[in-house]
Amino acid sequence: MRANRVRECWDAGRAAVSAWLSIGNSYSAEIVGWTGVDCVVVDLQHGMTDVQAMIGMLQAISSTPATPFVRVPSLDPPLLMKVLDAGAYGVVCPMVDSAEQAALFVRATTYPPRGLRSFGPTRGLLYGGADYVAHADATLVRLAMIETAAGLAAVEAICATQGVDGIFIGPNDLGLALDAGASADPSDPVVIAAIARCVAAAKAHGKHVGIFCPSGAVAARRSAEGFDFVVPNSDANLLRTAVGAEARLAREGGPIAPTSETPA
């Protein structure tokens, strides 16, 4: 079975850097997979992507050095199983609010007798190899999102759940839940304290902790704070920022230097 680069990062004691895809396109997924990131998350929750587009994106990512992950829209066992069968090597599950929900997340992504994942790994066998079923449970990464007041209240119990590899903080939703407003890099002391509580809970139970960031600089800071799965923004946000910057430069950058070439 192919190695999971995120687990390799963790085994080496360093943070995994992940891309985040909101645009449902296999070509852009392939491009991002070659940028040097450790993994690429296809976002089925808020991204402009459906399951059929996701399959093409996973195929594209599979041709690159990056490891394919998916964020599912909800704690839906049949969809979780389908995402894994399609070749995802990691799953980010949103709005996990209790240890019971965390346990269901683990069971849905684990084969019997410890779990309830149904057999049928289709693309999993193609990407993961003939020994996929024997090693899938230990190779896949399961990240439960903490982004609600209920999830924060239960974060210690969620982190204590056997089979959960770690938690992933959604800072915008967590800020909204705490009546502090949405921010990808919160400055509100209540949200800062909540994030610190999540990190402490993960570390206390030997689990990993990730977070969405607005930039690479913030991601580097988060890594220094103890996060070991960082996302330096999404493809849609980065595209908008890059094109906007180039457009402003085109309008405000001054006269273009003359060229010796003669127009055709």
Side-chain angles (χ1 to χ4, degrees):
M1 187 170 177
R2 292 196 198 192
N4 191 321
R5 286 190 59 173
V6 172
R7 290 200 179 277
E8 289 181 329
C9 290
W10 292 341
D11 290 342
R14 68 177 181 87
V17 177
S18 177
W20 193 274
L21 300 185
S22 298
I23 301 171
N25 183 272
S26 60
Y27 178 43
S28 60
E30 183 181 25
I31 291 171
V32 170
W34 284 105
T35 59
V37 294
D38 298 301
C39 80
V40 179
V41 179
V42 177
D43 185 8
L44 283 183
Q45 184 186 20
H46 293 302
M48 302 297 102
T49 306
D50 59 18
V51 171
Q52 191 60 47
M54 175 203 74
I55 294 170
M57 295 167 76
L58 293 179
Q59 290 171 319
I61 297 164
S62 298
S63 70
T64 77
T67 297
F69 277 41
V70 172
R71 177 168 73 167
V72 292
S74 64
L75 178 53
D76 178 359
L79 181 57
L80 283 164
M81 296 179 205
K82 190 175 189 68
V83 162
L84 295 180
D85 289 344
Y89 258 40
V91 183
V92 181
C93 185
M95 294 182 289
V96 176
D97 290 342
S98 66
E100 292 75 20
Q101 290 182 351
L104 176 57
F105 175 35
V106 173
R107 291 198 305 274
T109 54
T110 304
Y111 283 119
R114 291 175 294 171
L116 51 82
R117 181 182 175 188
S118 177
F119 180 83
T122 49
R123 266 209 81 245
L125 288 174
L126 297 176
Y127 177 69
D131 60 347
Y132 174 87
V133 175
H135 300 289
D137 290 350
T139 302
L140 304 175
V141 169
R142 302 160 181 85
L143 298 176
M145 288 197 71
I146 306 298
E147 52 185 343
T148 67
L152 178 64
V155 67
E156 289 82 9
I158 291 168
C159 288
T161 303
Q162 184 176 4
V164 171
D165 293 295
I167 56 174
F168 185 84
I169 299 170
N172 286 297
D173 278 315
L174 188 58
L176 290 172
L178 298 176
D179 197 25
S183 173
D185 186 20
S187 58
D188 186 280
V190 173
V191 184
I192 291 173
I195 291 174
R197 176 181 174 180
C198 291
V199 175
K203 300 300 181 182
H205 291 90
K207 301 299 175 70
H208 302 281
V209 56
I211 191 166
F212 187 89
C213 306
S215 69
V218 173
R221 191 186 79 223
R222 292 300 193 189
S223 295
E225 293 171 355
F227 288 87
D228 54 14
F229 185 91
V230 292
V231 177
N233 219 318
S234 71
D235 58 342
N237 287 338
L238 292 169
L239 177 63
R240 180 177 58 194
T241 299
V243 173
E246 294 299 323
R248 286 191 297 274
L249 183 62
R251 291 193 180 97
E252 303 165 7
I256 300 175
T259 176
S260 59
E261 295 180 2
T262 302

